[in-house]
Amino acid sequence: MSDYAVFAHPDFDPNDYANAILAGEPYPPQPGKAKPTKNTGLAPASEDVSVAISKLTFSLDDVEKQLKNVVTTHHEELLVRAAGVTDLEGSLGSVRTGLNELDSTLEKLRLKIRVPYQSLQKHVTKLDRLQQASDILRRTSRFVILARRLELQLAEMSKADATESQDNAGTKPKGQANGTSASTSSASGARADTPSIESEDDKERAIAKAALTIAELTALLDASEGSSASGPGDVAADGDSATAGRGEHIPLSSIKAVAVHLPFVDAARAKVTTDMEAMVFTGLATLNQSMLASSLQTAHNLRVLPDLVQNLVSDLSEAVEGRIRSAFDLTRISKDIMAKDSASLGQGLLYKSRVRTEPTSVTAPQWTAALWGSLESLIEEMADCCIKVYTLEKVLRVKRDPVTDVVFLDEAMKVLENKPSTTFWASLGKSLEKQARDAAKGSTFLQQTLCAGYPRLLRLFHSFFTKIAVHTDTVYTQSQQSPETVIVLRALSNFESLYLSRSSNRLNEAVGQAFSGGARSPPGMSEGVNVARAVANELDSAKFDPLLVQSVARYAVSSLELLLTRTDNLIARERTATSLIGPVATPQQILNGALATCLYHCWSRLDKLREEYPESVVSILQPVITKLHDTFERIVDPLLAAIRRELGAIIAKLHRMDFSDSTDPMAAMGGGASPYMKDLIEKLAFVKNEVLAQYNVPEVSRQWVISIVRFVIKTFVLHASIAKPLGENGKLQLTSDMTELEFGLSAFMSDKAQQSKRGADWDAVGEDYRALRGMRQLLFLDNPTLASAKHTAGIPPLIVLHHILVRSPITLPHALHGWAEAEYVRWVEEHSDEEAWTLVDGDLTHWEKITEAEGGDLGAAAEYVQLARAVLANAQGRSAVQ
């Protein structure tokens, strides 16, 4: 089949093929000239035409033979297909007949539908035009009726204006030549008051009606442009609404009967709008809510309420912004000062210089006074505008349209993004912040003046909040601040930051002066008082403002933290700071005493501030005040612990003494105090005169003295109660030591303030002193009376138990456990009385078991065991009752 590919090609053209053979060109033609390709057609044109014709003839014969072969091979199938074609021709004939019938039926239907439709279309077009004409006539009729009604309403307005003018003239009568009294004039004015009010109400009602009529007229004119306006008293109120035609709407203004009235309607609208705006301005100026409500109703009837409210809020905001700009304009202030100077001086003496934007040292007071006067005037105008905005919003919130019952505020919010008050506050805060920042950047004088006088500036804004509080819902008190007030005060943050920076510098200077001497001259009472006074003064300057005083308190905390840091660096923590060797205080003790004195007086002054300031301020200051006291205690506590440890070690030397009967009775009677007691008295005098004297804290040092006295008495009584063996001579020696101790403690507790009093204040010592006095009696009581609560009153049960064991052969608890006397006394101080009693009871039980096990005589100590059990029972009974 490749020999016949050229003839089988769909684009084969015999003419082109013949031309190509004659021209000797290949067929089909090949684009470009590439390498020789295999010829798929007949021989090239270089051959003779006769050869080409012979080839064609041979090919035709060959194709004919092949067709015969195919027919011969498939003749049965061809016959079958031929029979099928005959049947198909019959079917196609029936289909052709059906299609012809369908065409005829379709033609009949077209004749039945198309003609009536075209006729109906013509009638509908006529009806549409009739409806348009009817609608135009109806709207024209309504427009003319409303225009005539508007004429009557304008006549009523003119009549009300005339009546009001006559009433105003009647309230101000001229003086009469015949000497009529002033009382007659005032009486006539009073009688004219009521008609004036009535005429004003009539005018407001007439304006509202006229506005409603104008709105209906406007709606009729606008309805021709595509839609009918709906609203109070609209066209729909008459019954049938305007029908939207299929054709173009014809504007009413093109109707001659309507066009005649258009100039009058425009003039009436201008007059009503002017009167409405005048009423709005008058109502806002006088805060007359009734007049303002009437004017807003008129604006609502005119369909301009949202735009009116938006313009009013914008005008008030712009007025405040302009006044703020003027208040911070130093050029204007300079011109005002120059104008005053020119008025006070003669024109001939006046030297005209260029306008200054910064005062000189001579004119600074005048500029300062002018600036504060300008700010006071600004506050007045800000309050006036703010009250107007809130009055407008209040009327909008309360007023409703009598027909649609729509709240005017909701209607205005269709245009406004926020409520009028919110918009005003945002504009006020933004403008105030911008102008204050720009003015501070451009003028050093203004920045310094408002920074130094920031409390005064803040008081001006407090007066602003006070003035508007009556008419608004803003609150600015110590416990509550409205968001609006915070927004305004944030606008002054630039001046507040500068003021707080100066306040912080003053506090840091006070701290720096306190530590200017370093460790050689540490801060003391006066420095601590000065720092506390500086903090109190700064807080007192800002006390009137709840937010400012909190900011000042935070800066005060930073300064006090600096005080603590510098104090901590100076505190002496080496061993010499708590050494009690004597005979004088060490330099480290003197240093710590001065630092502790400084911290205490600073803390005591600041701790009293909680009574003067609210909880919000106290909560800021309280942590650092607590740190002051904690640092003070960290300095003092190690020293007090060292004093107790030293005194306890001296008292423990009591057990080195021999208190048995082997001592010389005459020495016990008149030999004086024991050596350990003399050491104790000397150490107490050293502690008082050298160590505690470094701390100039009378209130606290008195408590230290009382606590040391109680510790000494309690420790001494415990040690004395376990001194064994104890004979009669030893009892006398202990009594002598107790007397010496009492005198020594009395001298330790006495101070200059109590020199006029006789003796020490033993009432402050309380039960410990009674235990010391009772110890003397206990030494000389008979055995049977040791268990008597009457004879041992005031003496702790543990002391009585110790004394019973000392008299008996029973081992003492510390000896049983192998403790030293000082260890046992420390154990008793660290544990409760019940635990100490349990220890003694266990000692008794253990002794009884050991003695019985060893075959000893229990009767030798039976009396003492019985006494000890009785004392334990009484003590446990009293403890259970308590």
Side-chain angles (χ1 to χ4, degrees), residues 326-358:
S326 176
F328 288 101
D329 188 2
L330 291 183
T331 303
R332 181 194 61 81
I333 294 176
S334 176
K335 291 180 180 180
D336 292 344
I337 293 175
M338 292 178 63
K340 292 181 180 179
D341 292 342
S342 63
S344 61
L345 298 175
Q347 291 293 332
L349 301 176
L350 180 63
Y351 169 72
K352 295 183 178 180
S353 63
R354 61 183 178 86
V355 177
R356 293 179 176 270
T357 57
E358 290 290 332

Side-chain angles (χ1 to χ4, degrees), residues 805 811-821 823-824 827 835-847:
L805 296 180
T811 308
L812 287 167
H814 67 277
L816 177 64
H817 292 83
W819 298 342
E821 291 82 357
E823 292 177 342
Y824 175 66
W827 184 92
E835 291 175 328
W837 299 339
T838 304
L839 186 65
V840 174
D841 187 27
D843 182 40
L844 295 174
T845 304
H846 182 268
W847 182 84

